[in-house]
């Protein structure tokens, strides 16, 4: 949970609730309710095969199924798609530090908080260090978000009176539909939710969790409970943001990302407000360390290993450490002049990475999938997202457009990627690598229910194959 919940979940969703109202909660429901089951469906084989084949990076399953071309493309696409999400975390904390300190610590100084600390403990602690940090941070921010929620609602006499005040002042925040110029039309809700749900499946964290899970029970419990727990946790800051419209009126655009900290300082004693906002900091940091670590691992184990096949373990670790520093530096540069709110930045990232779900599905569930189809689908989907952004900016990518039959840009790119995947796979023949991979990816041992016997049997049989 901590590796996914972030500045987007705390600062971004409180800002989105503040700016757009209850439609943000509809997005959460459509996104998170099916997420656990979809994650289990897509990554069940990642768990079993990853244990058997000692996979460590995202490119490995794609490389074994489609060849080195896809193994090289995936880490590049995922890294570029991750950048907006990482920028959102850096930007969110910079804005929050500025708000809490009443500009005594300016944004450009506060934004270095994330890169410096995370780079240090990722470089020094590695994956195990990141996992323990995430665990502690996840417990901490889960507690603090509930404390802030009840404090904000109590400020105006409870939840029902607070929401009544919001309705009396801003009735448009309770509207959903396409009429009257309201933001949350049904295509808008579906577009945001689809990007978030599908994108979650395709980021590095699900692969890392699958590779590192020790038991079947732990893996199943994690995935099937994830969506429900996140739905509860993220609902709290969203409602805090909605309530803040009558406590801190008048914030616009990126400045609304400060509402979580501002309302905390108004509803809680100073020391407790600082802890509540620190909970948002830890949410951002726990996600950044997981995402940066995953991308650094991909770059070292996929790209570097392909370019320098005989590189040793020490060289891979060194490359991953340098990757952490470089990725964080790039994010600081991009976040220097913020103009897109945290929530929208995050959805841009989710929607872009979601196009990789087709080659992932094909690798595990369609024997007819080919390397050409996987490669074409990924490049076309990613390329259309970039073209949409250059053509019409973030609005073209995020919001439904009449030019795209009321789809937003990333849904149009997603559909195009899917069509390309199936068409190219059907008109091209599987090569030697794809044919050979069928013995592993469609082994009879994978047909049964996922249990300890299946995993143990699969590991032994896969090693032999």
């Amino acid at each position: 949970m901590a590796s996914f919940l972030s500045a987007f979940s705390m600062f971004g969703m409180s800002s989105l609730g503040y700016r757009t109202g209850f439609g943000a909660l509809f997005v959460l429901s459509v996104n998170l309710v099916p997420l656990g089951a979809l994650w289990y469906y897509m990554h069940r084989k990642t768990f079993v095969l990853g244990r058997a084949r000692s996979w460590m990076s995202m490119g490995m399953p794609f490389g074994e199924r489609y060849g080195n071309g896809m193994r090289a493309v995936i880490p590049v696409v995922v890294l570029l798609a991750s950048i907006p999400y990482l920028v959102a975390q850096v930007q969110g904390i910079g804005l929050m530090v500025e708000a809490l300190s009443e500009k005594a610590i300016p944004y450009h100084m506060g934004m270095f908080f994330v890169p410096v600390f995370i780079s240090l403990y990722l470089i020094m602690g590695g994956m195990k260090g990141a996992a323990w940090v995430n665990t502690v941070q996840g417990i901490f921010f889960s507690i603090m978000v509930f404390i802030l929620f009840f404090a904000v609602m109590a400020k105006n006499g409870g939840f029902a009176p607070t929401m009544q005040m919001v309705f009396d002042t801003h009735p448009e925040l309770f509207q959903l539909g396409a009429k009257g110029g309201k933001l949350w039309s049904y295509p808008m809700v579906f577009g945001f939710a689809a990007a978030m749900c599908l994108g979650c499946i395709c980021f590095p964290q699900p692969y890392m969790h699958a590779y590192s899970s020790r038991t079947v029970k732990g893996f199943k419990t994690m995935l099937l409970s994830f969506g429900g727990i996140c739905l509860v946790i993220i609902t709290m800051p969203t409602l805090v943001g909605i309530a803040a419209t009558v406590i801190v009126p008048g914030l616009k655009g990126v400045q609304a990302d400060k509402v979580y900290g501002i309302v905390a300082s108004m509803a809680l004693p100073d020391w407790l407000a600082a802890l509540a906002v620190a909970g948002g900091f830890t949410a951002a940091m726990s996600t950044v360390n997981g995402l940066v670590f995953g991308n650094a691992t991909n770059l070292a184990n996929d790209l570097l290993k392909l370019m320098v096949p005989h590189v040793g373990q020490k060289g891979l670790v060194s490359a991953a450490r340098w990757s952490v520093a470089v990725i964080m530096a790039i994010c600081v540069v991009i976040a220097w002049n913020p103009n897109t709110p945290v929530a929208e930045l995050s959805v841009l990232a989710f929607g872009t990475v979601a196009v990789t779900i087709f080659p992932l599905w094909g690798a595990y569930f369609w024997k007819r999938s080919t390397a050409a189809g996987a490669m074409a689908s990924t490049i076309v989907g990613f390329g259309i997202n970039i073209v949409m952004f250059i053509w019409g900016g973030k609005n073209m990518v995020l919001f439904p457009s009449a030019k795209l039959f009321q789809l937003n840009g990333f849904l149009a790119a997603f559909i195009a990627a899917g069509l390309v995947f199936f068409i190219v796979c059907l008109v091209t023949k599987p090569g030697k690598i794809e044919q050979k991979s069928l013995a592993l990816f469609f082994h009879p041992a994978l047909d049964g229910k996922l249990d300890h016997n299946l995993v143990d049997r699969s590991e032994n049989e896969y090693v032999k194959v």
Side-chain angles (χ1 to χ4, degrees):
M1 181 185 71
S3 71
F4 270 106
L5 298 194
S6 60
F8 164 66
S9 308
M10 304 299 157
F11 307 151
M13 286 305 297
S14 60
S15 171
L16 194 64
Y18 180 91
R19 291 180 287 116
T20 67
F22 274 83
L25 290 179
F26 281 92
V27 169
L28 286 180
S29 300
V30 177
N31 164 31
L32 292 172
V33 169
L35 179 58
L38 180 60
W39 189 348
Y40 178 75
Y41 169 74
M42 291 299 298
H43 284 291
R44 172 180 172 272
K45 288 189 177 182
T46 307
F47 170 63
V48 179
L49 285 166
R51 288 168 60 101
R53 307 294 290 175
S54 299
W55 289 342
M56 294 181 64
S57 59
M58 285 184 67
M60 288 183 173
F62 293 96
E64 290 215 32
R65 184 70 175 88
Y66 300 116
N68 287 339
M70 275 301 291
R71 185 178 176 183
V73 165
I74 285 294
V76 174
V77 169
V78 172
L79 173 61
L80 294 175
S82 300
I83 294 296
Y85 199 46
L86 293 169
V87 169
Q89 315 310 309
V90 174
Q91 177 179 306
I93 286 188
L95 289 167
M96 203 57 59
V97 169
E98 182 182 66
L100 279 184
S101 66
E102 297 180 348
K103 297 188 176 181
I105 302 175
Y107 167 77
H108 291 119
M109 185 180 295
M111 65 187 291
F112 281 96
F113 180 89
V114 174
V116 171
F117 280 93
I118 289 180
S119 295
L120 282 175
Y121 69 69
L122 275 183
I123 289 170
M124 296 173 66
M127 186 168 183
K128 185 172 286 188
W132 277 108
V133 169
N134 275 13
T135 302
V136 174
Q137 290 175 336
I139 294 170
F140 176 66
F141 74 64
S142 297
I143 294 171
M144 296 315 302
V145 75
F146 276 94
I147 291 174
L148 178 60
F149 170 77
F150 287 112
V152 169
M153 297 306 160
K155 188 174 179 65
N156 290 310
F159 179 76
T162 299
M163 291 300 110
Q164 185 61 50
M165 291 177 64
V166 175
F167 181 77
D168 293 339
T169 310
H170 300 286
E172 72 278 3
L173 296 181
F174 291 77
Q175 296 172 342
L176 182 71
K179 296 180 180 179
K182 297 181 285 292
L183 174 66
W184 290 112
S185 64
Y186 297 112
M188 180 73 169
V189 171
F190 177 74
F192 263 57
M196 292 161 64
C197 184
L198 297 170
C200 281
I201 304 299
C202 301
F203 268 132
Q205 295 99 311
Y207 294 82
M208 296 166 67
H209 293 321
Y211 299 156
S212 59
S213 292
R214 292 186 175 183
T215 66
V216 172
K217 183 178 180 181
F219 180 70
K220 278 182 166 180
T221 301
M222 174 184 66
L223 297 193
L224 297 180
S225 63
F226 176 80
I229 294 173
C230 288
L231 182 60
V232 173
I233 298 294
I234 306 177
T235 294
M236 300 296 105
T238 308
L239 290 172
V240 164
I242 293 171
T245 56
V246 295
I247 302 174
V248 193
L251 298 176
K252 304 291 184 182
V254 172
Q255 294 304 309
D257 287 346
K258 299 178 180 179
V259 72
Y260 188 94
I262 295 173
V263 78
S265 66
M266 298 178 69
L268 295 168
D270 287 347
W271 66 273
L272 193 53
L275 287 178
V277 176
F281 286 5
T282 59
M285 292 172 68
S286 60
T287 296
V288 171
N289 69 35
L291 195 52
V292 171
F293 189 87
N295 276 290
T297 303
N298 293 341
L299 294 174
N301 283 278
D302 293 325
L303 285 184
L304 180 61
K305 195 128 187 174
L306 286 176
M307 293 186 292
V308 187
H310 302 297
V311 63
Q313 188 67 24
K314 186 176 180 180
L316 291 174
V317 172
S318 178
R321 286 174 171 166
W322 277 106
S323 297
V324 168
V326 171
I327 291 170
M328 294 310 305
I330 292 171
C331 292
V332 168
V333 171
I334 296 174
W336 197 258
N337 294 306
N339 55 28
T340 301
V342 167
E344 282 86 329
L345 275 173
S346 303
V347 176
L348 281 172
F350 286 128
T352 303
V353 79
V355 300
T356 65
I357 202 168
F358 293 106
L360 175 64
W361 176 85
Y364 291 149
F365 300 105
W366 194 30
K367 294 182 179 181
R368 190 64 180 76
S369 60
T370 66
M375 184 82 72
S377 170
T378 303
I379 293 174
V380 167
F382 180 77
I384 291 177
N385 272 302
I386 300 300
V387 169
M388 292 287 183
F389 188 80
I390 295 172
W391 178 22
K394 61 181 181 290
N395 289 340
M396 191 68 188
V397 180
L398 292 170
F399 302 116
S401 170
K403 298 176 182 177
L404 300 174
F405 306 100
Q406 293 304 315
L407 298 173
N408 47 24
F410 55 74
L411 266 181
F414 182 80
I415 293 171
L419 290 173
V420 169
F421 176 73
F422 288 106
I423 292 171
V424 175
C425 286
L426 290 173
V427 299
T428 57
K429 294 182 178 180
K432 292 181 179 179
I433 293 177
E434 296 100 293
Q435 292 174 349
K436 183 179 178 181
S437 69
L438 298 180
L440 288 173
F441 286 77
F442 295 88
H443 195 285
L446 286 171
D447 293 338
K449 179 182 177 183
L450 182 55
D451 55 32
H452 289 283
N453 293 329
L454 168 63
V455 174
D456 294 339
R457 184 171 73 249
S458 298
E459 284 188 10
N460 293 330
E461 294 183 11
Y462 286 153
V463 169
K464 291 177 183 177
V465 173

